[in-house]
Amino acid sequence: MTGTTQPKPTRPAPGTRERLRRAPVESGLGMAPDPSSTPERVVVRAPLHDGVRTADGRVLPVLPALLADAGLGYLVFSTARLTGGAPTVDLRLDAAGVPAPDARWLRAELMLLHLDDEVGVGRAEMRDDTGVAVAHVVATFALTGAPAGPGGLATAPATGTTAAGTDARAALPPFDATRLRTEHLERDADGDVVFTPGPSTTNLNGTTHGAVLSGLAAAVQSAHPGAADARPLSTTVEFLRPVQVTDRLRARTVAIRDGRRFRTLGTELLLPDGRTAVRAVGTALRR
């Protein structure tokens, strides 16, 4: 970026593997530092298996969203020496190819594009372990919104640290990504998708993980009438308000563009009081 100081690439801080293991969403999807990661080239990975693939072999959006949101978030956290997680402001996920049938891992190479006292911007380029380009993600984080400590955005009882050096998330169940498959989405009597995140979606700040919210919005759009015949191209997610893990979310989707070649959907995830917590816009190519 013009006029800004480019931060040096930073390898995930010591203890990152253990921190990921204790985080329910990261551990549930198997996220870990990649063996090829170096101080100059930071790489994280997660396993590819049927539980995170769609019927046509693509990955569920929650997986690349997690590698980017959590991976870049940890880079911002460690590089800026924060005491709490920097909230994600927005995330854009561009879908590329389908992982090879025999691919075992999805790898994300992480890079901080900009970091100052107020914001951090990062990019994640993702390929499977056979070299197929799968996704590209850019995310923005707000350092001015970072809480004073873990669990700082949660309502009581907070889910951060219960004592010095103790991560309360270690006792939480791992997140099951199959909850975000279109066939598993719950609907109410009005036909709206509803979703209660639960403890397994807890992030460092004690609220619902942005990757889960991104994956939910993408799943809702995939379940929209006519979406089965379209190829997802991009999803842009704006995080407007924290979502407590006990909040029952309601999803509303409208067609923004419904052309012969392209289709664009807008989805809002609504809090119980009706306020919008997340806004997502997804574009797909009609087949």
Side-chain angles (χ1 to χ4, degrees), residues 263-281:
R263 186 185 203 189
T264 301
L265 300 177
T267 297
E268 290 187 339
L269 302 182
L270 306 176
L271 295 169
D273 62 7
R275 293 182 301 165
T276 302
V278 174
R279 181 181 294 122
V281 176

Side-chain angles (χ1 to χ4, degrees), residues 70-145:
L72 294 170
Y74 279 123
L75 280 185
V76 171
F77 174 85
S78 59
T79 304
R81 300 183 182 277
L82 302 176
T83 54
T88 310
V89 177
D90 56 41
L91 180 151
R92 177 188 168 100
L93 190 159
D94 296 317
V98 179
D102 59 344
R104 298 176 56 237
W105 297 96
L106 181 63
R107 292 185 172 125
E109 183 172 351
L110 310 175
M111 178 183 296
L112 282 181
L113 302 177
H114 173 74
L115 182 66
D116 60 32
D117 293 339
E118 298 179 321
V119 299
V121 181
R123 179 177 68 216
E125 296 183 359
M126 303 186 197
R127 297 178 179 271
D128 69 17
D129 53 337
T130 73
V132 174
V134 175
H136 174 270
V137 179
V138 175
T140 304
F141 303 85
L143 274 67
T144 54

Side-chain angles (χ1 to χ4, degrees), residues 193-271:
V193 171
V194 291
F195 183 85
T196 303
S200 68
T201 68
T202 303
N203 64 13
L204 182 63
N205 291 328
T207 55
T208 303
H209 204 299
V212 174
L213 298 173
S214 299
L216 173 61
V220 170
Q221 294 187 355
S222 294
H224 198 72
D229 297 327
R231 171 181 172 173
L233 297 178
S234 66
T235 304
T236 300
V237 185
E238 295 178 311
F239 303 96
L240 306 179
R241 294 177 176 86
V243 176
Q244 304 302 321
V245 298
T246 55
D247 286 338
R248 187 172 189 261
L249 296 170
R250 181 183 303 276
R252 297 283 175 84
T253 299
V254 298
I256 298 174
R257 173 176 55 174
D258 203 2
R260 289 185 300 173
R261 294 298 308 279
F262 297 97
R263 186 185 203 189
T264 301
L265 300 177
T267 297
E268 290 187 339
L269 302 182
L270 306 176
L271 295 169

